[in-house]
Amino acid sequence: MALPERRAPAEVVGSALALALVLALGLAAAPSASAADPAPVDADWLVRELRAGGYLVYFRHTSTVREDVETEARNQRSGRLAIDDCSTQRNLNERGVREARRQAGIVAALGVPLAPVYVSRYCRARDHVRWFTGAVIEDDALTPPRDAAKARALQQRLATPPPPGTNTAFFAHGGILWQATDYDSVEAETFVFRAGSPPRLVAAIRMEDWDAIEARRGTCCAPRTFWGTGAAPPE
């Protein structure tokens, strides 16, 4: 019976090194959940930071009447959309009103300062911000339809730190935020940035995260990753 061929020690070592290299390359190429998914934020830490000021807080308007999406688009195309006529626009629904009231109540109870406050001229953004404050600055750069010039104007605002001891706030729309930052959003989502070019996203607060913020317990508000597809996200 033939004996199995014995391999030289150098051959064995070489094969082991080759196998180790293949495994290492495979692990490096494999997607990492921790790299793809930013970590949640400690709710108490986020509240303390916002109370101290130094952030840019972008509130996407709360929930709207979805049947109005096509109505608003049709009015835009025909030139019948009027900034001061809410019936020509998509507006907050009853849920959106409750969401706005809840956000504003928690912000006030926690003593989070917001000033200055910029708002889109569209009714749904103005109806959102009125639960927070009446001292607002209407801003064409936040007002649809979005375009490159408005994106540049918002980028400039997001590169500007707020006054000491407060946070700059924006009440506006998802599409304008996306064009300026490449972050998608859902209705009632709030983005917390550190000023910069580009700004650094610290937290993305969805409506369900406000419970943790109010209680100042647990984690929430994991930052988003970039949309990254080139095409605009769905409205």
Side-chain angles (χ1 to χ4, degrees), residues 166-231:
T166 189
N167 305 285
T168 301
F170 307 87
F171 287 78
H173 310 269
I176 287 174
L177 178 68
W178 164 75
Q179 190 163 14
T181 67
D182 197 39
Y183 287 116
D184 186 23
S185 61
V186 295
E187 291 184 331
E189 190 167 4
T190 302
F191 291 74
V192 180
F193 293 102
R194 277 288 193 190
S197 298
R200 180 170 64 87
L201 182 60
V202 174
I205 308 170
R206 298 201 184 204
M207 202 60 220
E208 58 268 25
D209 293 323
W210 286 95
D211 289 340
I213 290 174
E214 182 179 37
R216 302 181 63 167
R217 274 199 311 271
T219 58
C220 67
C221 321
R224 278 181 175 264
T225 54
F226 292 116
W227 176 247
T229 67

Side-chain angles (χ1 to χ4, degrees), residues 18-204:
L19 178 60
L21 180 61
V22 168
L23 289 173
L25 290 173
L27 288 172
S32 166
S34 59
D37 302 319
V41 176
D42 180 79
D44 183 61
W45 173 85
L46 182 59
V47 169
R48 285 186 280 109
E49 288 289 302
L50 288 171
R51 290 181 66 179
Y55 291 90
L56 312 170
V57 186
Y58 189 104
F59 293 84
R60 181 178 173 178
H61 62 74
T62 51
S63 298
T64 57
V65 179
R66 300 308 297 174
E67 292 78 7
D68 286 352
V69 172
E70 181 53 38
T71 300
E72 181 174 286
R74 188 167 56 247
N75 288 334
Q76 281 180 329
R77 290 192 298 269
S78 66
R80 289 197 298 268
L81 190 144
I83 291 292
D84 296 322
D85 184 356
C86 297
S87 69
T88 66
Q89 303 171 32
R90 186 168 108 233
N91 296 295
L92 300 188
N93 57 22
E94 291 182 4
R95 175 182 172 183
V97 172
R98 292 194 302 270
E99 290 169 340
R101 184 170 58 232
R102 175 155 174 72
Q103 289 176 346
I106 293 172
V107 167
L110 293 174
V112 174
L114 300 177
V117 177
Y118 297 94
V119 63
S120 160
R121 296 175 63 207
Y122 268 41
C123 293
R124 56 185 175 271
R126 289 188 283 124
D127 287 343
H128 186 186
V129 75
R130 70 179 51 178
W131 292 96
F132 291 77
T133 180
V136 301
I137 302 167
E138 291 190 1
D139 191 347
D140 284 336
L142 298 177
T143 304
R146 65 177 182 260
D147 59 34
K150 291 177 182 178
R152 287 192 297 271
L154 179 55
Q155 287 168 349
Q156 185 174 7
R157 293 209 187 284
L158 293 175
T160 305
T166 189
N167 305 285
T168 301
F170 307 87
F171 287 78
H173 310 269
I176 287 174
L177 178 68
W178 164 75
Q179 190 163 14
T181 67
D182 197 39
Y183 287 116
D184 186 23
S185 61
V186 295
E187 291 184 331
E189 190 167 4
T190 302
F191 291 74
V192 180
F193 293 102
R194 277 288 193 190
S197 298
R200 180 170 64 87
L201 182 60
V202 174

